[in-house]
Every structure is written in C-alpha cells, then in structure tokens.
Amino acid sequence: MKLDRKEILKALETITVAGEGKNMVESGAVANVLTFGDEVVVDLVLHTPAMHIKKRAEDDIKKTIHELVSPEAKIKVNIKVETPEKNEIKGRAIPGIKNIIAVASGKGGVGKSTVTANLAVTLAKMGFSVGVLDADIYGPSMPIMFDVENEKPVSITVDGKSKMKPIESYEIKILSIGFFTAPSQAVIWRGPMAAKALNQMIFDADWGELDFMLIDLPPGTGDIHLSIMQSLPITGAVVVSTPQAVALADAKKGVAMFMQDNINVPVLGIIENMAYFTPEELPDNKYYIFGQEGAKNLAEDLNVPFLGEVPIVQSIREAGDYGRPAALQTASVIETVFEEITRNVVQETVNRNDSLPATEAIKITTMAGCSAVKKN
C-alpha cells in the first residue's frame, strides 16, 4: 500500500487547530507531509506552547488520516512551537499598561499585601511608573499601608468619559475598595457584586501610562481570582509563602491554579516571607522560626524561579502600620532585600515577555467556571 500525499493534505484540510481559525493546511500549520509506502510524517508548526493544544492536534491528525485515507497508515507527527515575536494582547487590555503582575498566596497571613506594597515602592525607586490595584475586596490593606486611609478618589473627565482618578502615594497610583467603604464597615458582597466593583476599578479608572500594575489578590483560589483573570491579560503571577509546611501546601495550590491549562498564566516565581528572624542586637544570628528554605525548596520542586527571601524584621510591620512601606528606608537591610527581590521580578518579567506570547484573558465557558484540575 502506497499513501498519496495529496489525499493526506485534503484530509488535513478538515482539521482546525484551536486558536488558529483556519484549517491547518490553509493556516500554514502543516509545514510538510512526507510519505514512504504506508508511512506518513507530518511536520506541524504551532503558535502556542500549550500542551493540550499540541496533544489535540496530534490526535486529530492521526484519527483523520486513519478515517479518511487509510486505517493501516503508520503516522508520525513532529510538532514545532514558534511563538510570534510580537503578539497583541487579547481580551480587555488597559491601554498604556505594559505589565500586569498578580501577587497571590495560597493562604492568608503570609504577608502578601506587605510584599506587594514594598515591591511597588521599590519599582518606583528604580524609575518605573507603578500602580497597585487592591483586589482583596474583603480585607483591603493598601489604604493603611500607604497612609491614605481617609482619601477618596475623585471623578475626572477623560476623552468625554467620567473616570476615577487613583489616589497617589509615594509615586504609586492606588485603587482599593477600602476608599469607598467606612474603615469599620464589613464588605458583605456575593461574587458578582465584588466582580463588578473590581471591573469598575480596573476599566473606569484613569491609570495613565504604567510600566507595572501590581494586583494584590485575596488569599486562596476562588471567585475574585477568576474575575481578575477573566477581565485582564495577566503578564505573570508572583506567589508569596512562609516556610512552614501548612503555608507551602497552600502556596503549591496557588501555583497550580495559575498553571492550569484553562488559565495558563506564567508564574514568575515564589517569594519566601518571614524566612528567618535576626535580633537587632545579634545581627549575625538567624533563627528559622517557621522552618528553613521551605519556599525555596518548593520553587525547585515546581520548577519555578525563587525570587528571594524576606526576613522577620519589626520595622516591616511597623512601617506597614504607619503607612510608609519599609523598603523606603534608605541604607537599611530591608531596602537591600527588596531591591534584590524586585530586580528578580523585573528580570523574570523580561524573560517571560521575550519567550512567551502575551497572556489572554481567560474565557469561562461553563456555569461551574474553572473547576479543580489534577496536576501531576
């Protein structure tokens, strides 16, 4: 039996690659088809690195050739991934914002908001224009951490449309649900209400030109996270954890959430907060109260970058409570720590933008949203 190349190409014209829109021959995904008797080799070029799309394309090719050409054909599919040099961000992008970084944690109490605030001021000190969206609807911290608890965003007109003007503090543009509620008022909202409030702070605000928007997500993996990733094309995610086993188990789930095939947000790395304690009177001593290098080891296990560790220092807590992030303290240990971590975040963002196409806002296609997916 000798296979006909033209027959095979005609059969491949019945297959569409996910995200391409055209059939795989017309779109140029089929780079070459070679036949040797009853053997066929199909060279395929895809523009997405997603494993499920590659597997689906390979399965479709084998099934189609067996059904339309010959059930005895021996088929080999070679897949090469070529990401375009410049890929327009799809979804509801915000004009003028270059990078959107989600700061997340698997559980509460690991210092995620403190890390976000200190990353923001360090980025600003490096010369970047920075905004912070406090997406922790039920526990907004940014108004306190930037000493703007009593501020209220004003309405301005931009291109004939009414927009919120973010509050500015230490050269950071900030929006938080905390600006719209009384400090003693609990936010008792269902998911859709919270999502609507977030969308208003994202799209009905005059953010202007930003190099980085940091999004302080609530703990866990839930409705707010999906709303954000549905609304915005997130450049990458940073996960914050403390070293103890309980926190690491939840941090692992946080990383897995972003890596799910139906979310597919690149994880820029893990930051270990409260890594060790050094008393002021014993600067050379390190006490690993919560365990040693737990988040660093987790990063290695998950094959994601380790961005650095933040020690337990009383001034970090005091600075957050007083509304002046600790990384603003010049010539201090904390300034040095956050400069190193922030440089790593910037480098990983550059690496991600050089090697991957722009993230798309995810599409929720079922009533259940994105359900749990088992990760190996």
Side-chain angles (χ1 to χ4, degrees):
M1 180 192 68
K2 191 171 188 301
L3 294 172
D4 188 323
R5 184 174 182 273
K6 288 182 181 177
E7 263 191 84
I8 291 167
L9 284 169
K10 190 175 179 183
L12 296 179
E13 285 177 354
T14 65
I15 307 172
T16 302
V17 179
E20 296 283 349
K22 303 174 182 177
N23 73 62
M24 59 172 53
V25 177
E26 189 184 357
S27 69
V30 176
N32 198 13
V33 173
L34 297 172
T35 57
F36 311 92
D38 63 348
E39 295 180 16
V40 57
V41 178
V42 179
D43 292 329
L44 202 63
V45 177
L46 299 180
H47 298 298
T48 174
M51 285 296 296
H52 67 289
I53 291 179
K54 292 193 281 185
K55 184 78 174 81
R56 173 73 183 273
E58 183 177 357
D59 290 345
D60 285 351
I61 288 170
K62 289 180 178 178
K63 183 182 176 186
T64 303
I65 293 174
H66 282 147
E67 286 181 356
L68 300 183
V69 182
S70 169
E72 279 101 41
K74 296 172 185 172
I75 305 160
K76 184 181 179 186
V77 181
N78 299 320
I79 298 179
K80 182 181 178 185
V81 176
E82 288 183 357
T83 54
E85 285 183 21
K86 292 221 173 189
N87 193 336
E88 291 294 321
I89 289 180
K90 296 178 183 177
R92 297 184 65 193
I94 309 176
I97 298 182
K98 294 177 185 173
N99 298 288
I100 302 173
I101 310 295
V103 185
S105 67
K107 71 191 301 294
V110 298
K112 167 187 50 62
S113 297
T114 301
V115 168
T116 303
N118 283 286
L119 282 175
V121 296
T122 308
L123 283 167
K125 284 200 299 182
M126 290 177 174
F128 295 107
S129 51
V130 185
V132 172
L133 174 66
D134 188 353
D136 196 347
I137 291 288
Y138 305 109
S141 307
M142 291 303 152
I144 295 173
M145 292 191 170
F146 282 91
D147 194 23
V148 286
E149 212 175 347
N150 298 316
E151 299 286 338
K152 300 291 177 193
V154 298
S155 180
I156 59 172
T157 302
V158 180
D159 298 329
K161 294 181 180 177
S162 180
K163 296 268 188 180
M164 275 184 283
K165 183 176 172 60
I167 301 298
E168 290 198 35
S169 179
Y170 309 120
E171 300 181 31
I172 312 295
K173 294 179 180 178
I174 308 157
L175 274 181
S176 168
I177 200 67
F179 293 138
F180 305 99
T181 58
S184 58
Q185 181 185 343
V187 179
I188 309 171
W189 288 348
R190 291 190 184 274
M193 184 78 172
K196 186 177 179 183
L198 279 172
N199 272 338
Q200 286 184 326
M201 288 195 292
I202 294 168
F203 297 108
D204 294 343
D206 178 32
W207 289 102
E209 298 284 327
L210 293 180
D211 295 309
F212 288 91
M213 173 187 271
L214 302 184
I215 302 181
D216 183 28
L217 289 171
T221 56
D223 198 44
I224 300 297
H225 304 75
L226 286 181
S227 295
I228 287 287
M229 291 182 286
Q230 212 178 346
S231 300
L232 286 172
I234 307 292
T235 308
V238 169
V239 176
V240 180
S241 180
T242 47
Q244 71 267 45
V246 172
L248 294 171
D250 290 331
K252 189 173 184 178
K253 292 173 188 172
V255 172
M257 172 185 69
F258 292 112
M259 287 183 164
Q260 279 187 197
D261 288 339
N262 50 357
I263 290 177
N264 202 27
V265 170
V267 176
L268 301 177
I270 297 175
I271 296 172
E272 183 170 273
N273 194 25
M274 307 183 207
Y276 56 86
F277 171 64
T278 298
E280 194 173 347
E281 63 276 12
L282 297 168
D284 295 328
N285 289 24
K286 289 184 179 181
Y287 298 97
Y288 295 93
I289 298 170
F290 297 123
Q292 189 169 353
E293 297 186 342
K296 184 177 183 180
N297 294 333
L298 178 64
E300 289 175 7
D301 290 345
L302 298 178
N303 198 27
V304 298
F306 180 65
L307 300 170
E309 55 185 23
V310 182
I312 300 172
V313 177
Q314 186 173 334
S315 63
I316 296 180
R317 192 272 306 161
E318 290 174 343
D321 288 349
Y322 292 136
R324 182 176 169 80
L328 292 170
Q329 298 168 6
T330 55
S332 68
V333 172
I334 297 308
E335 181 189 44
T336 305
V337 163
F338 275 105
E339 279 179 354
E340 181 185 348
I341 290 172
T342 306
R343 273 197 299 268
N344 290 338
V345 171
V346 172
Q347 186 59 58
E348 291 301 332
T349 304
V350 170
N351 294 347
R352 174 257 176 276
N353 289 339
D354 285 347
S355 62
L356 292 173
T359 306
E360 294 185 22
I362 65 169
K363 296 172 180 64
I364 306 297
T365 56
T366 66
M367 288 295 288
C370 294
S371 57
V373 172
K374 186 178 179 182
K375 302 295 287 185
N376 294 325

